[in-house]
């Protein structure tokens, strides 16, 4: 089957355009596979696994654009390459055109056209993001800086500038916030309520807030800080600003803080600020030490699930206590795992996690560690559990496909399922794989109907495994609400129709899969 390519030297298109172009090619008659990506080392590894990495593509630089097509004939491949170039050139010509509405070309122009605005969302290539963020702050706007690959020194400088002016600089690489009930970036439709969240973890904020919503508990604010905010160099500047804002907010009755474990210095600053208020505060430092949190009078939580349940409890939820709910669910999962495990063949022994949310991957790793199931990962904190090559699975492993190594020149996996579908095929064809775990994240900014793409791929994967005499178990959790643009129940139904075991949350998915291989 012929494979043909084009390399466009130093040519840049935004990641959504690349995704749309690749999707258009794979839908052409006679095309079996196609990719349109920047030639980063991670993307080359992915092309290698897909059988699309030609020798000439190996030589391409990270700033070069690669179009590669595998088709049934030379003619079909050549036609697809023409379609790709035509689509890319038309997108460049039409970008920014086609609307009669006033579209300001600068932050200053936008601020002047709408003096009531007090927040800017910035999503441009990382190299340009700092200048735009500073311009927004200079115009008195709070900022949600969605862009990644912003230099750390720029983030520190921007946050100091914001703090001096009483403004929030959420980010860089801040994917999620819910401000005054409005979802920004990747975020869900959450009711208003008594809990305020500050999170250095986007999908952590989404998972906790949607679990609260399922219990009928809403948010005052959901403030994302960006994942690097809790690092020693940044010092937790936005975490502290967010806590102070919620402590002063009369509508916020309880606080929930979410992060990976910060340095001792930053932990001390955060806990000192928590002690400035008598509002109950639940703190989930995933994998961290609960001792200093207890000593500060706050409530430690080991997982996002436990954090949400505890926050609901202190905010007035009248259902069962958090430990009782988790204990009851765990017993059910253990029994379910016994039945699923009985369907496996000898030799099926590994779990494989294909995550789109980094914090969801981190939560699963914490749970597997507690269950004494050693899982390798590209986001493992313990260097002994670091996955050597994130594009190649081995033993028990879980990959965060939203890590920066995968998202340069490629849309985030919460938007584009292509990368996860490729890995799903690889894992399903491995006779040693027993169970695959997926997180499906809904809400604004995410794929408009993820189950519509995941479902057929999962059905095909399970059918191939069955043809080889194996039962492939796929476990999924869905982070979302019924009010999201992709209603929760519809996504769950689509997944269950193709045989996916859908459980109530990410922590439950980790426990069920752990019981199956433990």
């Amino acid at each position: 089957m012929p494979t043909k390519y084009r390399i466009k030297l130093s040519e840049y298109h935004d990641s959504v355009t690349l995704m749309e172009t690749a999707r258009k090619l794979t839908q052409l008659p006679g095309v079996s596979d196609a990719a349109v990506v920047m030639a980063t080392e991670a993307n080359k590894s992915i092309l290698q696994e897909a059988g699309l990495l030609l020798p000439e593509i190996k030589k391409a630089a990270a700033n070069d654009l690669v179009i590669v097509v595998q088709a049934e004939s030379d003619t079909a491949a050549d036609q697809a390459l023409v379609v790709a170039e035509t689509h890319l050139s038309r997108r460049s010509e039409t970008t920014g055109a086609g609307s009669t509405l006033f579209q300001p070309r600068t932050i200053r122009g936008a601020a002047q056209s709408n003096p009531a605005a007090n927040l800017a969302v910035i999503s441009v290539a990382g190299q340009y993001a700092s200048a735009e963020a500073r311009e927004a702050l200079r115009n008195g706007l709070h900022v949600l800086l969605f862009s990644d690959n912003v230099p750390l020194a720029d983030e520190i400088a921007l946050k100091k500038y914001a703090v001096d002016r009483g403004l929030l600089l959420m980010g860089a690489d801040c994917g999620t916030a819910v401000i005054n009930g409005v979802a920004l970036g990747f975020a869900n439709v959450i009711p208003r309520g008594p809990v305020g969240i500050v999170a250095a973890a986007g999908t952590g904020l989404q998972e906790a807030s949607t679990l609260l919503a399922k219990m009928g508990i809403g948010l005052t604010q959901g403030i994302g800080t960006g994942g690097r905010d809790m690092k020693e160099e940044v010092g937790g500047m936005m975490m502290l600003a967010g806590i102070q804002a919620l402590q002063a907010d009369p509508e916020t009755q309880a606080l929930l803080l979410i992060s990976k474990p910060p340095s001792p210095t930053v932990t001390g600053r955060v806990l000192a600020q928590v002690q400035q208020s008598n509002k109950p505060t639940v703190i989930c430092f995933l994998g961290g030490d609960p001792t200093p949190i207890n000593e500060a009078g706050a409530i430690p939580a080991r997982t996002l699930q436990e954090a949400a349940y505890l926050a609901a409890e202190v905010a007035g939820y009248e259902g069962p206590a958090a430990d009782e709910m988790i204990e009851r669910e765990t017993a059910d999962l253990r029994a379910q795992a016994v039945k699923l495990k009985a369907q496996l063949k000898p030799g099926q022994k590994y779990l494989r996690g294909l995550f789109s949310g980094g914090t969801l991957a981190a939560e699963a790793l914490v749970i597997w560690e507690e269950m004494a199931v050693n899982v390798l990962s590209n986001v493992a904190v313990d260097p002994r559990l670091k996955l050597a090559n994130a594009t190649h699975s081995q033993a028990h492993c879980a990959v965060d496909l939203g890590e920066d190594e995968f998202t340069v020149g490629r849309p985030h996996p919460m938007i584009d399922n292509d990368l996860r579908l490729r890995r799903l095929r690889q894992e399903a064809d491995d006779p040693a794989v027993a169970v695959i775990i997926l997180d499906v994240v809904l809400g604004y900014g995410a794929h408009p109907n993820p189950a519509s793409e995941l479902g057929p791929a999962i059905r095909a994967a399970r059918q191939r495994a069955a043809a080889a005499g194996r039962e492939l178990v796929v476990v999924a959790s869905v982070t979302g609400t019924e009010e999201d643009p992709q209603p929760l129940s519809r996504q769950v139904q689509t997944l269950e129709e193709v045989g996916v075991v859908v459980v109530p949350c990410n922590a439950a998915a980790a426990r069920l899969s752990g019981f199956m291989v433990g």
Side-chain angles (χ1 to χ4, degrees):
M1 190 171 287
T3 302
K4 296 201 171 187
Y5 72 97
R6 292 278 190 281
I7 296 175
K8 315 289 285 186
L9 299 178
S10 299
E11 182 166 324
Y12 174 81
H13 296 268
D14 67 82
S15 58
V16 173
T17 297
L18 301 183
M19 175 187 71
E20 291 173 348
T21 307
R23 189 171 293 164
K24 191 177 185 68
L25 299 189
T26 56
Q27 294 170 349
L28 293 174
V31 173
S32 58
D33 201 357
V36 184
V37 295
M38 303 305 291
T40 63
E41 290 307 311
N43 284 337
K44 289 178 185 176
S45 296
I46 294 164
L47 294 176
Q48 174 79 54
E49 296 290 338
L52 297 174
L53 186 62
L54 301 174
E56 295 82 357
I57 298 175
K58 290 181 181 176
K59 301 174 186 173
N63 289 329
D64 297 337
L65 173 67
V66 171
I67 308 167
V68 56
V69 177
Q70 194 169 67
E72 295 174 355
S73 67
D74 286 335
T75 301
D78 288 335
Q79 288 175 342
L81 291 174
V82 171
V83 169
E85 297 210 47
T86 303
H87 185 73
L88 290 170
S89 62
R90 285 179 180 167
R91 286 280 304 188
S92 297
E93 291 170 0
T94 58
T95 298
S99 173
T100 57
L101 296 175
F102 172 61
Q103 294 182 338
R105 300 177 63 85
T106 65
I107 293 281
R108 184 180 179 188
Q112 289 177 341
S113 68
N114 185 0
N118 67 353
L119 188 149
V121 178
I122 296 174
S123 178
V124 297
Q127 58 186 314
Y128 308 114
S130 299
E132 297 300 325
R134 182 171 289 276
E135 181 66 11
L137 294 170
R138 193 177 292 128
N139 280 275
L141 302 172
H142 301 289
V143 172
L144 184 136
L145 185 50
F146 191 84
S147 309
D148 57 9
N149 296 306
V150 174
L152 181 61
D154 287 1
E155 179 177 340
I156 295 169
L158 288 167
K159 287 187 170 176
K160 286 180 177 175
Y161 188 89
V163 168
D164 289 344
R165 287 155 181 79
L167 296 170
L168 292 175
L169 187 287
M170 296 177 277
D173 199 7
C174 179
T176 301
V178 182
I179 304 298
N180 293 333
V182 177
L184 302 176
F186 294 119
N188 305 89
V189 180
I190 306 294
R192 301 304 301 274
V195 177
I197 299 179
V198 191
T203 48
L205 199 162
Q206 288 191 264
E207 177 77 349
S209 62
T210 55
L211 288 174
L212 282 166
K214 289 170 185 172
M215 291 181 281
I217 305 292
L219 297 188
T220 51
Q221 311 290 346
I223 301 171
T225 69
R228 296 188 305 202
D229 188 74
M230 297 290 268
K231 287 185 176 295
E232 183 76 25
E233 299 92 325
V234 185
M237 280 189 274
M238 281 306 117
M239 176 64 74
L240 294 170
I243 296 170
Q244 291 165 1
L246 294 178
Q247 288 176 334
D249 175 22
E251 295 183 0
T252 300
Q253 299 173 20
L255 277 69
L256 170 54
L257 315 181
I258 300 171
S259 174
K260 294 175 182 174
S263 71
T265 304
V266 176
T267 299
R269 289 178 189 154
V270 170
L271 295 179
Q273 183 58 48
V274 167
Q275 289 177 301
Q276 298 302 308
S277 168
N278 58 7
K279 290 185 180 180
T281 302
V282 177
I283 300 179
C284 179
F285 289 159
L286 277 168
D289 181 4
T291 305
I293 298 173
N294 268 319
E295 291 173 350
I299 305 165
R302 294 168 303 158
T303 65
L304 300 170
Q305 179 194 32
E306 186 179 35
Y309 289 177
L310 288 169
E313 203 171 292
V314 298
Y317 178 64
E318 296 180 350
D323 56 354
E324 182 183 341
M325 286 194 283
I326 294 174
E327 187 177 337
R328 191 184 303 169
E329 178 188 88
T330 301
D332 292 342
L333 292 169
R334 193 188 301 274
Q336 189 176 11
V338 171
K339 295 179 181 176
L340 292 170
K341 192 171 182 178
Q343 301 173 21
L344 301 176
K345 300 297 180 186
Q348 286 188 269
K349 56 185 177 181
Y350 292 136
L351 71 79
R352 297 284 162 80
L354 302 178
F355 289 90
S356 62
T359 313
L360 299 176
E363 181 187 43
L365 292 174
V366 167
I367 291 170
W368 288 325
E369 183 180 6
E370 289 178 353
M371 299 174 73
V373 178
N374 291 325
V375 178
L376 305 175
S377 176
N378 62 333
V379 291
V381 176
D382 186 339
R384 295 171 300 177
L385 296 177
K386 202 75 173 176
L387 188 61
N389 179 355
T391 63
H392 183 74
S393 295
Q394 62 181 106
H396 298 311
C397 68
V399 183
D400 171 18
L401 297 169
E403 270 285 282
D404 287 353
E405 61 186 304
F406 289 114
T407 57
V408 176
R410 175 183 287 276
H412 194 280
M414 283 162 55
I415 302 172
D416 180 12
N417 288 304
D418 178 72
L419 180 54
R420 189 145 65 160
L421 297 183
R422 291 179 184 278
R423 288 296 290 263
L424 178 66
R425 284 196 291 271
Q426 294 170 22
E427 305 299 352
D429 291 340
D430 183 344
V433 171
V435 54
I436 296 173
I437 307 102
L438 305 172
D439 60 337
V440 182
V441 184
L442 311 181
Y444 291 112
H447 190 283
N449 188 0
S452 69
E453 290 187 346
L454 291 169
I458 293 168
R459 177 188 283 119
R462 297 188 73 239
Q463 288 174 342
R464 283 202 308 280
R470 290 179 281 115
E471 176 70 25
L472 179 66
V473 178
V474 179
V475 175
S477 64
V478 183
T479 299
T481 69
E482 202 57 32
E483 290 69 33
D484 280 332
Q486 324 86 336
L488 173 65
S489 59
R490 193 178 305 167
Q491 298 296 311
V492 171
Q493 180 183 350
T494 302
L495 292 171
E496 288 182 335
E497 285 174 352
V498 298
V500 176
V501 180
V502 182
V503 292
C505 65
N506 181 64
R511 290 193 184 95
L512 179 58
S513 57
F515 286 137
M516 287 183 61
V517 301

